[in-house]
Amino acid sequence: MADRALRGMQIGAKSMESEEGVVFADRFTVKYQTPSGEVFEVTMAAGAVPPATWESKTGEIAEIVGDVPEEEDAKAAKPVRTHWDMLRERRSIEELDQVLDQQLTLLREGRLRPEGSYRKG
């Protein structure tokens, strides 16, 4: 049984993988300062909006120092699509009115199926 023992490194101690070929995400650093004078930096993803305040390791609330990089992708960002927007891409108002009328008829007749599938066939 001793010949089957794992030898070498401790489990979880070190990684045998290298960082060769790894492309890291774009990021920037934001500098914060506490009222007591402690200055520290926080690394954030590119495009993130840094908060005006950040809690330091000592528990003090720090404020941003210096300029914050402006978001470059503000113009390129897609507007948030709502459920209604996605529904309107698939169906017209007339079709939605028909589906609503059908569902209301089924509801009034008490024929709605509990499994949620109302299509025939």
Side-chain angles (χ1 to χ4, degrees), residues 32-36 38 40 54-62:
Y32 289 91
Q33 183 173 8
T34 64
S36 64
E38 176 189 3
F40 60 93
W54 193 276
E55 186 175 346
S56 71
K57 290 181 181 180
T58 60
E60 291 184 273
I61 301 297

Side-chain angles (χ1 to χ4, degrees), residues 65-102:
V65 176
D67 294 333
V68 177
E70 293 185 20
E71 188 175 339
E72 298 173 9
D73 299 329
K75 295 177 184 176
K78 293 182 179 179
V80 177
R81 289 183 3 184
T82 64
H83 178 72
W84 177 251
D85 294 332
M86 290 183 269
L87 185 63
R88 288 286 291 126
E89 289 174 5
R90 296 188 309 268
R91 297 187 184 248
S92 67
I93 295 293
E94 293 80 22
E95 290 175 315
L96 291 172
D97 283 338
Q98 289 175 356
V99 171
L100 177 63
D101 290 339
Q102 291 170 359

Side-chain angles (χ1 to χ4, degrees), residues 5-79:
L6 291 175
R7 295 186 181 263
M9 298 172 36
Q10 296 175 348
I11 295 176
K14 297 179 184 171
S15 173
M16 298 300 288
E17 295 181 18
S18 70
E19 294 179 358
E20 185 176 324
V22 175
V23 179
F24 293 103
D26 293 333
R27 53 190 162 195
F28 66 97
T29 57
V30 180
K31 197 177 280 190
Y32 289 91
Q33 183 173 8
T34 64
S36 64
E38 176 189 3
V39 177
F40 60 93
E41 291 183 346
V42 178
T43 303
M44 299 191 177
V49 179
T53 60
W54 193 276
E55 186 175 346
S56 71
K57 290 181 181 180
T58 60
E60 291 184 273
I61 301 297
E63 294 186 359
I64 290 182
V65 176
D67 294 333
V68 177
E70 293 185 20
E71 188 175 339
E72 298 173 9
D73 299 329
K75 295 177 184 176
K78 293 182 179 179

